[in-house]
């Protein structure tokens, strides 16, 4: 039985804690959330885990690993402490909003030798994984370009936007990661445009709510990203990959898998509303991958360096948007 602690009892912490508590190989031992008493007590009641301060968790020699699902501004410090304590880590994205910190933490975690899985859950979704495997096997032929759409159901509140690091680091980072995952190579050029077209509160917070990003890979292949904070019908999360023998489409997952036809036409249900519902299976698969990482050293689909590389692209997109110029990325590029 693997013993774990979870940091953060908020929105995603509740998902990971429930998955850990339900996993037959995990004993969720501790919950750490010094900020939200209500959230941590509710989660303790639901999972049977004990609420403790961070020091107790890191000092427990029997503890195998930690899940970092707390606010973004805590990730870097908790990753460093986990590395120093020799605990395996499952950490949510992003590593930090400051790129130099991302680099330093990545180096420290890698040097420590701890096992680390980064929370790019889309890699664990069966549909995205199918596309990746079909491309990687050569069955689809040569991948030439990818088009991705990520539109949230509705803009987040201004309080969230102000702490999020902006749409590229907060939301589009999953698409930057997916681009690298499907291409199987690094990105050479990033060109981004963005604006606040939806919500004046987002503009007032200094962020954007609509963006288009064009990526060119090292070998000259393309990715077009469409990112947005609103879709009138719910969560819009799709992808198409053009290969020379096949086009692979990942469509939205409907809430109901039945289409009703009548004289007025064909009526299908709206897509699953947001990421917690849409990626419920992926979050479970991610927790199982963390178990495999600890028990058998099976490499995770995303590690800490993938977090750094996706963020490098987010930083380049911010620079490109501000300068209205494409940004050439080289391996050591930083903002
Ligand atoms: N991969 C994904 O799909 C996904 C989805 C949502 C959020 N996230 C990421 O997960 C993180 C949390 O997001 P959220 O939406 O759950 O936020 P949230 O605000 O709902 O929850 C964050 C929790 O962390 C707690 N916290 C603050 N400081 C802490 C500390 N020092 N130690 C322990 N707990 C602390 C807060 O009290 C709060 O309960 C963010 O970094 C976010 O980017 C990832």
């Amino acid at each position: 039985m693997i013993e774990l602690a979870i940091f953060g009892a908020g929105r995603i912490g509740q998902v990971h804690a429930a998955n850990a508590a339900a996993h037959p190989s995990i004993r969720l031992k501790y919950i750490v959330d010094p900020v939200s008493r209500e959230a941590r007590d509710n989660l303790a009641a639901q999972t049977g885990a004990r609420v403790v301060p961070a020091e107790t968790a890191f000092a427990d020699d029997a503890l195998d690993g930690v899940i970092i699902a707390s606010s973004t501004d805590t990730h870097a410090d908790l990753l460093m402490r986990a590395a120093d304590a020799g605990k395996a880590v499952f950490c949510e994205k992003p590593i930090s909003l400051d790129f130099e910190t991302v680099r330093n933490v990545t180096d420290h975690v890698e040097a420590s030798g701890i096992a680390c899985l980064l929370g790019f859950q889309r890699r664990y979704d069966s549909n995205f994984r199918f596309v990746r495997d079909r491309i990687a096997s050569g069955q689809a032929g040569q991948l030439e370009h990818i088009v991705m759409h990520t539109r949230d159901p509705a803009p987040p509140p201004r309080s969230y936007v102000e702490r999020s690091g902006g749409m590229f680091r907060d939301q589009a980072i999953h698409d930057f990661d997916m681009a690298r995952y499907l291409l199987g190579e690094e990105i050479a050029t990033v060109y981004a445009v963005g604006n606040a077209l939806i919500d004046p509160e987002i503009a007032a917070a200094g962020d954007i709510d609509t963006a288009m990003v064009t990526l060119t890979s090292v070998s000259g292949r393309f990715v077009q990203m469409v990112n947005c904070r609103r879709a009138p019908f719910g969560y819009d999360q799709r992808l198409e990959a053009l290969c020379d023998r096949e086009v692979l489409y990942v469509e939205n997952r409907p809430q109901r898998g039945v289409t009703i036809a009548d004289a007025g036409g064909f009526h299908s249900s709206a897509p699953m509303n947001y990421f917690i519902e849409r990626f419920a299976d992926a979050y479970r698969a991610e927790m199982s991958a963390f178990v495999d990482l600890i028990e058998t050293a099976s490499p995770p689909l995303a590690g800490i360096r993938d977090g750094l590389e996706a963020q490098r692209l987010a930083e380049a997109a911010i620079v490109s948007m501000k300068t209205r110029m494409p940004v050439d990325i080289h391996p050591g590029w930083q903002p």
Side-chain angles (χ1 to χ4, degrees):
M1 199 66 124
I2 288 170
E3 295 196 345
L4 299 181
I6 186 158
F7 290 77
R11 201 165 49 146
I12 202 70
Q14 290 166 27
V15 173
H16 293 322
N19 289 341
H23 197 290
S25 300
I26 297 176
R27 178 182 168 222
L28 187 64
K29 196 172 187 181
Y30 301 129
I31 293 169
V32 183
D33 190 329
V35 180
S36 177
R37 184 183 188 140
E38 192 187 345
R40 72 180 181 231
D41 290 349
N42 284 342
L43 205 51
Q46 281 163 26
T47 60
R50 192 152 65 88
V51 174
V52 296
E55 297 70 37
T56 306
F58 287 124
D60 182 345
D61 288 339
L63 198 77
D64 297 289
V66 298
I67 304 160
I68 302 176
S70 43
S71 320
T72 297
D73 56 2
T74 66
H75 295 184
D77 175 57
L78 293 172
L79 277 162
M80 299 293 257
R81 292 170 75 179
D84 293 341
K87 305 296 182 200
V89 181
F90 169 0
C91 183
E92 267 307 340
K93 45 56 63 177
I95 297 164
S96 164
L97 297 181
D98 173 61
F99 193 69
E100 201 176 331
T101 305
V102 174
R103 271 190 22 232
N104 292 339
V105 170
T106 301
D107 288 346
H108 189 78
V109 165
E110 286 183 344
S112 76
I114 59 162
C116 182
L117 179 154
L118 207 88
F120 286 132
Q121 87 284 357
R122 232 179 265 177
R123 292 192 183 211
Y124 289 94
D125 174 79
S126 55
N127 292 344
F128 289 102
R129 202 163 166 185
F130 179 90
V131 170
R132 163 65 160 71
D133 291 348
R134 199 159 176 96
I135 293 169
S137 71
Q139 219 170 336
Q142 171 70 8
L143 173 64
E144 290 160 1
H145 77 246
I146 302 167
V147 180
M148 285 190 264
H149 290 82
T150 295
R151 298 189 181 104
D152 295 338
R158 181 170 173 169
S159 55
Y160 178 90
V161 171
E162 280 168 347
R163 296 185 60 207
S164 69
M167 196 171 80
F168 287 127
R169 294 190 189 101
D170 177 58
Q171 184 227 51
I173 196 162
H174 287 286
D175 301 279
F176 291 121
D177 176 65
M178 189 48 55
R180 293 183 62 249
Y181 182 55
L182 294 183
L183 286 164
E185 64 172 336
E186 294 301 340
I187 300 299
T189 310
V190 178
Y191 180 56
V193 290
N195 203 350
L197 299 176
I198 298 166
D199 188 348
E201 283 291 305
I202 290 184
D207 198 9
I208 55 167
D209 53 34
T210 307
M212 308 256 165
V213 185
T214 304
L215 307 174
T216 307
S217 74
V218 168
S219 70
R221 298 177 291 162
F222 302 115
V223 179
Q224 182 62 51
M225 293 165 44
V226 176
N227 292 82
C228 184
R229 288 297 196 183
R230 184 186 61 198
F233 55 80
Y235 191 35
D236 187 20
Q237 224 297 286
R238 292 170 290 129
L239 175 147
E240 63 182 68
L242 178 86
C243 307
D244 65 359
R245 285 205 289 277
E246 298 173 350
V247 187
L248 304 167
Y249 296 95
V250 178
E251 304 288 0
N252 286 319
R253 257 196 204 156
Q255 290 178 20
R256 189 187 57 225
V258 177
T259 299
I260 300 170
D262 61 16
F266 286 72
H267 313 278
S268 50
S269 71
M272 289 177 168
N273 190 48
Y274 206 12
F275 58 85
I276 289 188
E277 207 182 348
R278 167 65 183 84
F279 291 109
D281 294 346
Y283 292 124
R284 276 192 288 275
E286 208 172 26
M287 191 58 67
S288 291
F290 190 43
V291 170
D292 294 343
L293 177 62
I294 294 172
E295 281 185 338
T296 63
S298 310
L301 295 182
I304 192 154
R305 196 143 288 268
D306 295 304
L308 177 139
E309 293 304 337
Q311 192 145 347
R312 200 192 299 279
L313 301 181
E315 302 297 337
I318 293 167
V319 171
S320 172
M321 180 178 68
K322 286 186 178 156
T323 59
R324 298 170 181 254
M325 296 286 286
V327 172
D328 286 331
I329 306 279
H330 49 81
W333 184 91
Q334 59 182 71

